[in-house]
Amino acid sequence: MLTKINTGTWLPAWVPQTSGILAFILLFCAMVESATNGFDGSLLNGLNILPVYKDYFNLTPATTGLNTASVYIGKILGLWASGLLCDRLGRRPVIFWSSLGSIIGVIIMAAAQNIGMFVAGRAILGLFSSWASVAGAVYLSETFAARWRSWGVGILNNFYYVGALIAAGVTLGTSKWQSTWAWRAPCLFQGIFAIICIVLLPFIPESPRWLAAQGLHDDAHQVLASVNADGDMNSQIVLVQFKEIVDTLAYEKSHSTMSPLEMFKSKVSRRRLFIGTSPGWMSCIVGNIIASYYLGDELKTAGITNREDQLKANVVLNVWCLVTCLTGTQLAVSWGRKPTALLCQFSLTTFLFIIGGLSKMYASNPQGASQALVYGDVACIFLFQGAYSIAWTPLMTLYPPEILNYSIRANGYTLKQYCNALPALVLIYLMPIGLANIGWKMYFVNASWDVLIFIVIIFTWVETKGKTLEEIDEIFEGSKHSDAPNLAKVVAGQARMDHDAMTKTAMGDAYLGKAHEA
């Protein structure tokens, strides 16, 4: 059964009243950006192995880097507006426009006649997908059912490997084609995720926190009931969250201008911003870009030179990473965000040093290298990517929206994406040049600064496990800004929220009047 819910925007919504079905649709609709990014990384991995692609564009290491990195040029150009658009237009409309624009970019890329056209298509794709990267993560963190939020938001970025796996399979399937469709068809297929998103958007509600911020309290209350309690507006879980949201927003509006400058005004906001944006630059520079975009070159340094073997390795690697990121999501939920990140960072730093050492041994005597050396190096590449996926894949979308409070969430998440896109643009462009010139030494350079990231996490990150978005204020400010009991206590039966007291405290007489009229 579908119920029409006001969204406060031009984009209507007919929402299922069963919370489980709604959660499923929410997740699939918000996954468009991560799946598109995953498809893109794996797609370029495959294309950079295909002779028909490299010969068509007559690629050099520099133009290979340009073709690959151009998606980040678009992201950097588009990101500046994403947070502002999310706050002004609503989360869902931004996802819609980003999906539509991504389809246009994909079509141009697939129809490319030269490097300039290919780069332009990828830049357009990057520009619009940057909007989805902010809107999708912020939307899901603010809307997903409280009891499933950690898993739901954590698994959002895991769709990266769903997209990557599909791309790896598609490029393997077209690799034997002798026409340009060997690379055009996989490029065109990339638009499927945006199409799925556009189809599903009418069946999900707007963010309840965005609705409450616009003064649409009745609609926010209804959305919370739909996503948490099969439409029961008197559910204890719904009432507690509703009060927390409205009280916290009232506090933030009375103590800030709700503008992007709020990110820098106070010591607490600056601390939130540093921690909330850190997964952006940390996850980018740890070393995964080599395997994410230039797996063929990495496998060559390990001794795997056959094109078909490289494409098959691309498929298997993405299956492995999907398994490990799901495992990591469970660790983040049950064990905690910070311990999971530290485990990941220690492991991938260790594996990167080992990969560098084994690659050096292979490079010193390629003809005399044993099979054990080659397979050991490849195994460590897989272990490295698995270690990366355990934490950085789920935490990229889960941790920042938790750290950033509502007034700076969308714009802070935008800055986090910039912290990812800017170094990624540089590293994706330079990586093939670096691998061509210094080879195995790239791994040692990368592993050295990974040690510093481990230290930064130890001394700056905080633990957010088991808290609602509003309850996390207590970590940074000493108390939360609502007298509603903590949700965990209500779920455990240790506290209870009275409906009448909640409406009087949170909304005042104006809200009660509207309720009585209804």
Side-chain angles (χ1 to χ4, degrees):
M1 179 179 177
L2 300 177
T3 300
K4 185 173 174 53
I5 293 182
N6 180 36
T7 64
T9 70
W10 62 269
L11 190 60
W14 295 269
V15 178
Q17 282 302 296
T18 303
S19 296
I21 295 175
L22 180 54
F24 182 81
I25 301 174
L26 280 168
L27 189 59
F28 269 82
C29 193
M31 63 84 184
V32 60
E33 192 270 342
S34 56
T36 299
N37 275 353
F39 191 100
D40 189 74
S42 186
L43 170 70
L44 267 294
N45 247 338
L47 297 190
N48 286 328
I49 294 171
L50 294 179
V52 67
Y53 164 76
K54 293 189 288 187
D55 293 343
Y56 183 84
F57 291 114
N58 193 26
L59 294 176
T60 65
T63 53
T64 296
L66 176 63
N67 270 15
T68 307
S70 53
V71 71
Y72 281 93
I73 296 174
K75 287 185 178 184
I76 290 167
L77 293 175
L79 271 173
W80 70 270
S82 54
L84 297 171
L85 289 172
C86 284
D87 285 342
R88 179 69 62 87
L89 303 180
R91 290 22 175 165
R92 290 167 70 251
V94 175
I95 295 174
F96 172 83
W97 291 118
S98 66
S99 300
L100 192 62
S102 295
I103 293 172
I104 295 172
V106 163
I107 292 172
I108 294 173
M109 185 170 66
Q113 301 299 304
N114 49 53
I115 288 177
M117 190 173 175
F118 190 81
V119 167
R122 286 182 57 71
I124 292 171
L125 172 64
L127 187 152
F128 284 102
S129 68
S130 72
W131 294 3
S133 69
V134 175
V138 170
Y139 171 75
L140 204 63
S141 66
E142 293 179 349
T143 309
F144 217 75
R147 63 186 181 278
W148 301 321
R149 181 178 60 80
S150 294
W151 245 103
V153 183
I155 207 174
L156 170 61
N157 207 41
N158 295 357
F159 277 100
Y160 180 98
Y161 292 114
V162 174
L165 182 57
I166 294 172
V170 171
T171 51
L172 178 61
T174 63
S175 63
K176 293 183 173 60
W177 299 0
Q178 297 306 308
S179 71
T180 59
W181 282 103
W183 62 266
R184 294 187 194 277
C187 289
L188 198 60
F189 196 88
Q190 191 169 5
I192 190 68
F193 306 107
I195 294 172
I196 292 172
C197 184
I198 291 173
V199 170
L200 293 178
L201 265 175
F203 303 104
I204 60 174
E206 184 54 78
S207 158
R209 288 166 173 86
W210 186 84
L211 289 169
Q214 310 310 306
L216 301 173
H217 300 117
D218 288 330
D219 302 314
H221 192 175
Q222 189 176 4
V223 171
L224 286 169
S226 295
V227 298
N228 286 281
D230 297 332
D232 180 8
M233 297 181 71
N234 293 317
S235 162
Q236 285 288 296
I237 292 175
V238 172
L239 296 178
V240 169
Q241 287 186 88
F242 182 56
K243 177 169 171 53
E244 280 187 344
I245 290 169
V246 176
D247 287 355
T248 302
L249 281 172
Y251 174 86
E252 290 188 27
K253 286 183 176 181
S254 67
H255 286 76
S256 71
T257 60
M258 305 293 281
S259 75
L261 294 178
E262 291 300 325
M263 295 186 291
F264 309 102
K265 281 189 174 180
S266 69
K267 182 178 179 180
V268 170
S269 293
R270 292 191 294 271
R271 183 186 175 205
R272 282 185 188 262
L273 191 64
F274 175 80
I275 300 173
T277 57
S278 63
W281 59 268
M282 286 179 177
S283 65
C284 177
I285 69 174
V286 292
N288 71 301
I289 279 178
I290 302 174
S292 294
Y293 288 93
Y294 303 110
L295 180 64
D297 291 334
E298 185 172 25
L299 289 173
K300 284 180 184 177
T301 68
I304 305 296
T305 57
N306 181 270
R307 184 189 70 190
E308 189 168 345
D309 288 343
Q310 291 175 355
L311 289 169
K312 288 178 180 178
N314 192 24
V315 175
V316 176
L317 178 61
N318 284 296
V319 173
W320 163 244
C321 288
L322 180 59
V323 171
T324 53
C325 71
L326 290 171
T327 303
T329 302
Q330 178 57 35
L331 282 176
V333 172
S334 59
W335 193 23
R337 285 52 157 165
K338 186 173 180 177
T340 303
L342 289 172
L343 170 67
C344 160
Q345 193 63 26
F346 176 81
S347 301
L348 62 83
T349 303
T350 302
F351 288 131
L352 208 55
F353 276 120
I354 295 173
I355 292 169
L358 294 176
S359 297
K360 178 184 178 182
M361 292 172 64
Y362 177 81
S364 64
N365 184 18
Q367 302 302 321
S370 67
Q371 286 292 97
L373 174 63
V374 172
Y375 289 136
D377 200 351
V378 173
C380 285
I381 292 172
F382 273 63
L383 290 171
F384 171 84
Q385 284 298 105
Y388 176 92
S389 303
I390 283 176
W392 291 123
T393 300
L395 291 182
M396 272 283 286
T397 50
L398 173 59
Y399 195 58
E402 292 181 330
I403 296 298
L404 303 165
N405 57 319
Y406 182 85
S407 62
I408 65 172
R409 185 169 294 132
N411 290 300
Y413 198 90
T414 296
L415 193 57
K416 187 274 290 186
Q417 291 297 88
Y418 263 123
C419 290
N420 181 262
L422 287 169
L425 174 63
V426 175
L427 291 173
I428 289 173
Y429 179 76
L430 293 179
M431 202 61 71
I433 300 173
L435 287 171
N437 286 283
I438 63 174
W440 56 267
K441 295 177 183 177
M442 286 291 294
Y443 301 112
F444 285 99
V445 172
N446 217 146
S448 298
W449 65 58
D450 281 358
V451 176
L452 297 178
I453 294 176
F454 183 85
I455 296 171
V456 171
I457 293 173
I458 290 177
F459 290 104
T460 65
W461 278 33
V462 299
E463 186 53 62
T464 58
K465 184 186 78 168
K467 297 182 180 292
T468 66
L469 296 181
E470 287 69 33
E471 289 166 4
I472 292 169
D473 286 346
E474 190 170 1
I475 297 174
F476 292 95
E477 302 178 42
S479 64
K480 69 176 185 175
H481 307 303
S482 173
D483 58 0
N486 282 3
L487 186 62
K489 291 185 176 180
V490 173
V491 172
Q494 299 171 358
R496 184 171 178 80
M497 170 62 68
D498 178 76
H499 180 272
D500 291 336
M502 181 276 296
T503 54
K504 288 178 182 177
T505 304
M507 306 309 308
D509 293 338
Y511 177 77
L512 286 176
K514 290 174 68 176
H516 291 153
E517 289 171 11

